[in-house]
Amino acid sequence: IVNCDHREKLCLEITDVIKSNLYGSGYFLIQDEKIINSNLDELTSQYALWTLYDTDYAVKSKILEKNDKFIFDFKLYDVNLKKILFNYQISFNNETSIRKLAHVSSNKIFEKITSIKGIFDTKIAYISSSKVKDKKIYKLFVSDIDGFNPVAIFTSKRELMSPTWSPDNKKLAYVSFENKRPEIFIQTLSTGERFKMNNKAGSSSAPAWSPDGKYIAYSQKINGNLEIFIYNLADNKSKRITKSIGIDTEPEWSDDGKFIFFTSDRSGRPHIYRKSLSNNKAKRVTFDGSYNADANISSDGKYLSLVHNSGNGHKIAIFSLEDRYLKVISNGRLDEAPSFAPNNKMVLFASKKIHKGILVATSNDGRIRQEIELTGEDVREPIWSN
């Protein structure tokens, strides 16, 4: 239950975001407080009523006014233990983002109950395209995880692709066709400053930042064939790490920075491979289905989210690196570009709805699915911040 008191309209706006966040995480079902009609101030008599409706936790919130500022005050109740777990207050003013306040409050509740770090105040980046006078305009956006507060950090008349966050979330690397071929650019979010990576290289794509932020793995075309390279940001030099007759692309770093996962069709069909940076051998990782590509690793290094096809369309799957078990978590036919949340409990990906690109956030078991449909935009290639 999430209930509200005082300055009801503003308070309800905050609690609606909290309820949406908690439900979308896949960890909670939200009770309808109107059905129970509960007065959370009457503690002794209400615990039994909440239990009757299979309620484990309740949140009572209100907005206080103090010295020209507001305070969002909420209490988290444990129904089974019949006690208040904590009372938390956040001060704000008219210039404060109400959604930001709600996301921070959601984190506090989520972390207290699950002991898992909350991610509701993190960011996502994605590519959008729209037609303006019969010409396509491409934009790289950064927004809240629910699609609110979008900011276009770069706009181009030519295609943009493959955004990826630096480990400190201060920069984005992405692919731009502004010079009529795929090239990787790195942009600082606070200043808008951008530069082209590896000016001497030919066509390059699919950038991926190393965990320490010192290197970027990417794909580069060599004699008509894509291979994996690693670019050193300090000395502006690149090192080739794959050499095969197949296409090697979409690199992804392991959590310890010692391995590169990548997509290759060297066995005849696209599958995920893993290569140690200390030797020349690449080992095939996936065998399920006829297609596995575009891997994204969880922050604990235990799982890959990837695009999987067993003959009934491209779907998002979670692959366990420990027991080699693959679980499909989406039901579309053109799903792509999966990205783990920083706490690994949710996955963001792109999908199609009536021929329009949308973003979808799902719990990592696929039970809870929330569409993030941005008005008037065809969106794709989302990536969660760190």
Side-chain angles (χ1 to χ4, degrees):
I1 304 172
V2 180
N3 208 345
C4 207
D5 191 16
H6 302 299
R7 283 190 167 270
E8 187 173 9
K9 185 178 179 180
L10 181 57
C11 191
L12 286 175
E13 183 180 346
I14 298 170
T15 55
D16 281 347
V17 176
I18 293 174
K19 287 191 283 188
S20 177
N21 285 340
L22 295 179
Y23 176 76
S25 72
Y27 277 75
F28 301 95
L29 294 175
I30 306 299
Q31 300 279 32
D32 186 351
E33 61 270 16
K34 294 178 182 178
I35 294 177
I36 301 179
N37 193 25
S38 174
N39 182 351
L40 298 178
D41 291 326
E42 299 175 6
L43 301 181
T44 305
S45 61
Q46 293 302 318
Y47 283 126
L49 180 60
W50 300 341
T51 303
L52 183 64
Y53 282 87
D54 295 324
T55 302
D56 295 310
Y57 300 94
V59 175
K60 174 70 172 180
S61 57
K62 59 184 176 182
I63 293 178
L64 309 174
E65 295 183 45
K66 186 177 181 180
N67 299 329
D68 297 325
K69 286 190 175 182
F70 301 102
I71 297 174
F72 180 62
D73 177 285
F74 66 91
K75 296 181 177 69
L76 174 63
Y77 297 82
D78 187 312
V79 174
N80 298 309
L81 296 179
K82 298 181 179 181
K83 70 175 187 178
I84 298 176
L85 290 181
F86 70 73
N87 187 184
Y88 192 80
Q89 294 184 336
I90 305 177
S91 62
F92 66 101
N93 55 36
N94 291 327
E95 297 179 356
T96 304
S97 167
I98 295 303
R99 300 192 69 86
K100 172 72 172 179
L101 184 152
H103 292 321
V104 172
S105 301
S106 300
N107 284 343
K108 297 296 181 181
I109 297 168
F110 183 83
E111 292 169 7
K112 185 65 177 181
I113 295 174
T114 67
S115 298
I116 299 169
K117 183 174 177 57
I119 46 78
F120 304 112
D121 62 339
T122 55
K123 298 289 184 179
I124 61 174
Y126 59 90
I127 304 295
S128 81
S129 61
S130 57
K131 278 191 175 182
V132 178
K133 295 182 180 180
D134 295 326
K135 292 185 178 180
K136 270 197 172 184
I137 299 296
Y138 297 88
K139 295 181 179 181
L140 172 58
F141 275 100
V142 171
S143 77
D144 296 345
I145 65 170
D146 51 13
F148 282 79
N149 301 316
V151 176
I153 69 163
F154 186 70
T155 301
S156 176
K157 294 180 180 179
R158 298 189 182 274
E159 192 169 3
L160 302 174
M161 299 173 61
S162 307
T164 181
W165 293 89
S166 62
D168 60 7
N169 295 324
K170 293 181 178 180
K171 298 178 181 180
L172 279 169
Y174 55 91
V175 175
S176 173
F177 282 74
E178 61 197 71
N179 297 317
K180 299 184 179 180
R181 67 178 184 182
E183 297 172 318
I184 297 171
F185 286 78
I186 298 173
Q187 183 165 337
T188 302
L189 297 182
S190 61
T191 64
E193 180 185 2
R194 63 195 294 266
F195 71 92
K196 186 168 67 175
M197 187 189 89
N198 201 1
N199 282 311
K200 297 180 181 179
S203 297
S204 52
S205 58
W209 235 294
S210 64
D212 61 10
K214 296 180 179 180
Y215 306 92
I216 290 181
Y218 67 100
S219 297
Q220 183 177 322
K221 189 170 287 188
I222 300 294
N223 298 323
N225 193 45
L226 285 174
E227 302 288 353
I228 305 296
F229 285 74
I230 292 179
Y231 174 74
N232 188 323
L233 288 159
D235 61 16
N236 298 317
K237 293 182 179 179
S238 292
K239 177 182 178 182
R240 182 175 175 177
I241 66 166
T242 66
K243 187 176 183 180
S244 74
I245 59 173
I247 293 173
D248 297 336
T249 187
E250 299 172 340
E252 173 78 352
W253 295 81
S254 63
D255 60 313
D256 58 9
K258 295 180 179 180
F259 297 88
I260 294 288
F261 294 91
F262 61 96
T263 304
S264 178
D265 65 355
R266 61 181 64 188
S267 60
R269 294 182 180 275
H271 279 282
I272 305 299
Y273 286 75
R274 186 183 77 167
K275 185 182 185 304
S276 169
L277 297 181
S278 62
N279 62 54
N280 293 322
K281 292 183 179 181
K283 182 179 179 181
R284 182 170 164 179
V285 175
T286 59
F287 292 87
D288 299 82
S290 59
Y291 181 101
N292 292 286
D294 201 7
N296 176 257
I297 196 165
S298 60
S299 60
D300 59 10
K302 295 181 179 180
Y303 301 93
L304 296 176
S305 61
L306 49 83
V307 180
H308 171 77
N309 195 330
S310 292
N312 57 351
H314 286 17
K315 303 179 187 300
I316 306 304
I318 303 294
F319 180 77
S320 170
L321 291 168
E322 183 176 350
D323 59 22
R324 299 294 191 262
Y325 177 73
L326 185 144
K327 177 181 174 61
V328 174
I329 64 168
S330 76
N331 54 14
R333 296 187 63 84
L334 293 171
D335 298 338
E336 63 178 12
S339 173
F340 274 110
N343 65 4
N344 308 320
K345 303 304 178 182
M346 298 177 70
V347 176
L348 182 70
F349 63 93
S351 189
K352 290 289 185 181
K353 183 178 182 181
I354 316 178
H355 308 296
K356 177 183 178 181
I358 63 171
L359 305 185
V360 177
T362 179
S363 54
N364 62 3
D365 58 7
R367 291 185 302 107
I368 306 298
R369 171 189 167 101
Q370 288 187 316
E371 294 182 1
I372 308 172
E373 188 171 355
L374 304 175
T375 304
E377 304 284 355
D378 188 67
V379 296
R380 55 186 172 80
E381 298 194 79
I383 186 77
W384 218 307
S385 66
N386 299 299

